[in-house]
């Protein structure tokens, strides 16, 4: 059962992704850093015209996006190279879903979480866990609404699509998937996706690059959009398998390690500041807290998943005088309380973040928000996911303990206790410095000097599209070397190594797909 708490719990049905009978195991992202190599171009873009010949064999091309590229060089234009055009979609693709918010989730009413531009109801600071302003009971699956409302405040919107560095599609893909996850046949589940694609492909804006300059946000995990067959018993819809969707950049809270058309961006947290000073004040406070517990874990076991290490972590927490546990099994009130969760994280040095029903969980972002150093057990839980928002050197802000170490009964208390206090202090500083990059500011306002998760996401998409356009103009179209099955690995490359052949990596075993049964 899906639980929509402040903590991250995905529907139990997704546990099937972990079974060896499946060809795809839910894992990481392809939030490849150097985005241009992710979109191989094997044909001429549409609407290409010829001019006078410069050689007997070649004629220069006039690309329809040249106007947009030229704005980059206009130093007097503060939005040069940053314009975004937003499609005016029919209301059935967004607003109508909000009006019918009671049907978005089968297990609880999402209507209260749609309030305040998708932030949900304000959180009272009765226990002093939060600050007085900017805190909301935000549901982890409302990013569709939050992102769109932030886009309405974006300073470089344009009504001229020929000026646009990227084109935003305000389709509430996450809400669409959620409302039909249980009890509906595949035709119903796929209807809106097919309708959207048909609408987009008939637009002139789409025909410029066949959608390769388009992007949209879906506030759910990739596996909700990757149904493997047309059987009604299979999970989710097939949005990400549609050819048109493969051309777009689809931003999700968890992406796939084996595909190149989706990119991971942070889960929403409870903190949505409206001004820079709110962020600075919070960061200073998180640096100064006394932390009683060496490590903690908030979560429930996964008894139906034999690969899960959660029960082992729970046992270690229970058996340690330095560990703190917030069990989220049947007593849902504890883990549905943002105050309980944040209080424990604020009092802990390290926060354990194992996979749940899928690789990622919102708890990782909540722990960072609390200045608690995250401990990951699978690289797809964070490192290969949010590469637009994180430094490459993961050891600066987190601890990695392979899952097999836990299965061999390695002591977490001993492992973490060996880290000296000065190193812990430096790591906490790195964690706290990450906070602005991993939160979404209040959509009704705008930060001044800080870039939040929205800003970095839009910037990354624009860089991706701009690189692709420049490659097209320069005739650089030999991107066929990109291997989708290794897409997680591209995020680890330095820019100068992009064209090199993939070699052996220490994380290869984590991303090996199950062998097909014969």
């Amino acid at each position: 059962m899906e639980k929509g708490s402040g903590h991250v719990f995905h529907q139990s049905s997704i546990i099937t992704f972990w079974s060896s009978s499946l060809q795809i195991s839910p894992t990481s992202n392809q939030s490849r850093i150097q985005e241009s190599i992710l979109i191989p171009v094997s044909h001429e873009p549409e609407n290409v015209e010829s001019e006078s010949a410069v050689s007997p064999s070649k004629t220069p091309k006039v690309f329809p996006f040249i106007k947009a590229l030229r704005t980059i060089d206009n130093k007097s234009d503060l939005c040069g190279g940053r314009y975004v055009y937003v499609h005016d979609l029919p209301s059935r693709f967004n607003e109508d879903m909000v009006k019918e918010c009671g049907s978005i989730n089968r297990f609880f009413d999402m209507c209260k979480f749609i309030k305040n531009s998708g932030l949900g109801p304000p959180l009272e600071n009765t226990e002093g866990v939060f600050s007085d302003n900017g805190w909301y009971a935000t549901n982890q699956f409302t990013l569709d609404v939050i992102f769109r409302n932030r886009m309405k405040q974006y300073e470089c919107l344009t009504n001229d699509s020929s000026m646009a560095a990227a084109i935003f599609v305000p389709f509430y893909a996450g809400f669409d998937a959620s409302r039909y996850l249980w009890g509906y046949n595949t035709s119903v589940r796929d209807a809106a996706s097919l309708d959207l694609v048909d609408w987009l492909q008939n637009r002139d804006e789409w025909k410029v690059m066949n959608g390769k300059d388009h992007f949209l946000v879906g506030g759910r995990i990739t596996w909700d959009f990757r149904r493997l067959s047309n059987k009604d018993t299979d999970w989710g819809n097939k949005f990400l398998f549609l050819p048109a969707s493969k051309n777009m950049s689809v931003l999700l809270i968890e992406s796939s390690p084996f595909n190149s058309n989706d990119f991971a961006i942070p889960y929403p947290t409870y903190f949505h500041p409206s001004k820079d000073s709110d962020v600075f004040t919070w960061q200073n406070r998180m640096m100064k807290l006394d932390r009683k517990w060496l490590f903690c874990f908030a979560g429930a076991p996964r008894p139906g998943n034999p690969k899960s290490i959660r029960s082992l972590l729970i046992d270690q927490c229970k058996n340690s005088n330095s560990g703190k546990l917030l069990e989220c099994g049947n007593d849902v009130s504890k883990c549905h309380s943002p105050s309980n969760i944040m209080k424990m994280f604020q009092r802990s040095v390290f926060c354990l973040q194992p996979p749940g029903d899928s690789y990622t969980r919102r708890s990782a972002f909540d722990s960072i928000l609390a200045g608690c150093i995250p401990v990951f057990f699978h690289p797809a839980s964070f490192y290969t996911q949010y590469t637009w928002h994180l430094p490459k050197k993961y050891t600066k802000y987190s601890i990695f303990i392979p899952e097999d170490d836990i299965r061999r009964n390695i002591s977490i208390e001993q492992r973490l206790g060996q880290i000296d206090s000065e190193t812990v202090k430096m790591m906490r500083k790195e964690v706290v410095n990450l906070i602005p990059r991993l939160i979404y500011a209040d959509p009704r306002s705008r930060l001044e000097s800080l870039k939040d998760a929205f800003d970095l996401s839009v910037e990354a998409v624009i860089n991706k599209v701009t690189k692709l356009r420049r490659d097209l103009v320069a005739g650089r179209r030999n991107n066929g070397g990109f291997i989708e099955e290794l897409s997680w690995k591209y995020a680890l490359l330095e820019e100068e190594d992009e064209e090199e052949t993939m070699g052996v990596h220490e994380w290869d075993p984590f991303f090996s797909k199950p062998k097909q049964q014969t």
Side-chain angles (χ1 to χ4, degrees), residues 105-117:
N105 191 291
R106 177 181 178 179
F107 302 110
F108 55 87
D109 190 350
M110 285 286 289
C111 293
K112 69 176 181 178
F113 297 112
I114 305 300
K115 296 178 180 179
N116 294 311
S117 300

Side-chain angles (χ1 to χ4, degrees), residues 259-506:
N259 304 91
S260 62
N261 59 320
D262 58 346
F263 304 83
I265 61 176
Y267 283 76
T269 64
Y270 304 116
F271 187 35
H272 306 280
S274 57
K275 54 184 183 294
D276 292 17
S277 59
D278 292 342
V279 182
F280 299 144
T281 300
W282 181 257
Q283 287 178 300
N284 289 334
R285 179 179 164 190
M286 292 305 100
M287 281 298 300
K288 297 175 181 177
L289 288 177
D290 291 327
R291 299 181 183 263
K292 176 180 180 180
W293 307 103
L294 177 63
F295 65 98
C296 71
F297 174 58
R302 293 294 187 269
N305 180 3
K307 294 184 178 181
S308 177
I309 62 169
R310 283 183 167 223
S311 60
L312 300 176
L313 299 183
I314 290 172
D315 288 342
Q316 290 213 33
C317 285
K318 288 180 175 179
N319 296 325
S320 170
N321 292 327
S322 301
K324 177 66 173 175
L325 175 65
L326 188 64
E327 292 189 82
C328 303
N330 296 322
D331 190 359
V332 295
S333 61
K334 288 184 179 180
C335 287
H336 282 207
S337 165
S339 180
N340 282 341
I341 294 168
M342 292 298 291
K343 186 189 304 181
M344 184 179 72
F345 288 168
Q346 288 174 18
R347 294 177 179 177
S348 302
V349 179
F350 297 97
C351 290
L352 309 184
Q353 301 297 345
D357 294 328
S358 69
Y359 288 116
T360 66
R361 59 196 308 245
R362 169 184 167 160
S363 176
F365 296 94
D366 290 335
S367 65
I368 289 175
L369 182 57
C372 186
I373 300 167
V375 180
F376 296 108
F377 304 88
H378 195 295
S381 293
F382 218 66
Y383 308 141
T384 62
Q385 290 283 347
Y386 310 101
T387 57
W388 291 346
H389 301 78
L390 298 171
K392 280 181 179 290
K393 193 171 182 180
Y394 66 88
T395 55
K396 294 172 65 176
Y397 65 86
S398 70
I399 299 296
F400 180 61
I401 303 176
E403 290 177 316
D404 283 346
D405 283 3
I406 302 302
R407 296 186 182 104
R408 289 193 293 266
N409 204 30
I410 294 295
S411 169
I412 295 174
E413 179 179 347
Q414 184 177 1
R415 179 73 63 89
L416 298 179
Q418 293 172 345
I419 304 173
D420 64 87
S421 59
E422 190 60 32
T423 299
V424 168
K425 183 178 179 180
M426 289 190 295
M427 292 183 74
R428 182 177 301 121
K429 183 176 181 180
E430 291 290 340
V431 167
V432 169
N433 285 340
L434 283 176
I435 290 175
R437 305 172 63 86
L438 301 180
I439 59 176
Y440 296 90
D442 192 319
R444 296 160 296 189
S445 59
R446 187 181 301 166
L447 300 182
E448 296 177 4
S449 64
L450 298 173
K451 292 183 179 180
D452 71 344
F454 169 87
D455 295 320
L456 294 174
S457 300
V458 173
E459 186 178 276
V461 169
I462 288 175
N463 288 342
K464 170 182 181 291
V465 174
T466 300
K467 181 71 160 57
L468 175 60
R469 287 174 169 176
R470 284 173 167 165
D471 285 348
L472 286 170
V473 171
R476 294 189 293 266
R477 301 174 188 178
N478 54 346
N479 292 326
F482 183 85
I483 305 170
E484 278 208 329
E485 296 236 349
L486 299 177
S487 61
W488 63 271
K489 203 174 285 192
Y490 286 85
L492 310 176
L493 296 177
E494 298 294 342
E495 184 173 355
E496 60 270 17
D497 298 329
E498 280 179 4
E499 302 301 327
E500 292 186 3
T501 304
M502 293 289 161
V504 175
H505 192 278
E506 60 178 315

